[in-house]
Amino acid sequence: MPQPHPHPRPRPGLLGPTRPRPQPPPRSLRLAAAVEAASLLVLLLNLVTVHAGPVTSLGGPVHGAAYLAVVALTFAAGPRATAAARWCSLLPGAGGLLVLRLLR
């Protein structure tokens, strides 16, 4: 007679219903949130140090485009994006990072 394994693996559904694993936020939203945060950091560092015009001229539109992409991608996420995530997406700078946290 075979000996039972000392620690048998529980079978799915044996201990109740299994919950699906949460899906990570879309890659495009993660990229847009990272660009938004990084461009804001560059703009603020430029402001407190040398205040170079070309950095501002390039960083401002990049930050604005990333901000708009975060808002659009959050609203396009469908039912995964709660009302809190949609409101957080409207916060410039940190909104993208907050949305990523809420969509986990």
Side-chain angles (χ1 to χ4, degrees):
M1 185 148 127
Q3 293 290 331
H5 192 274
H7 301 288
R9 284 190 203 178
R11 288 178 278 163
L14 183 65
L15 301 174
T18 57
R19 287 185 277 172
R21 299 181 92 196
Q23 295 294 321
R27 186 178 210 177
S28 54
L29 182 58
R30 291 192 314 248
L31 178 65
V35 170
E36 180 189 16
S39 63
L40 179 64
L41 182 63
V42 167
L43 287 170
L44 291 176
L45 286 174
N46 183 45
L47 181 65
V48 298
T49 57
V50 294
H51 197 57
V55 173
T56 305
S57 296
L58 180 65
V62 168
H63 177 69
Y67 168 73
L68 292 175
V70 166
V71 172
L73 290 168
T74 302
F75 278 81
R80 285 189 61 199
T82 61
R86 289 182 175 145
W87 279 106
C88 284
S89 74
L90 298 174
L91 297 172
L97 299 175
L98 291 172
V99 168
L100 291 179
R101 178 82 176 173
L102 290 171
L103 289 183
R104 271 202 238 159

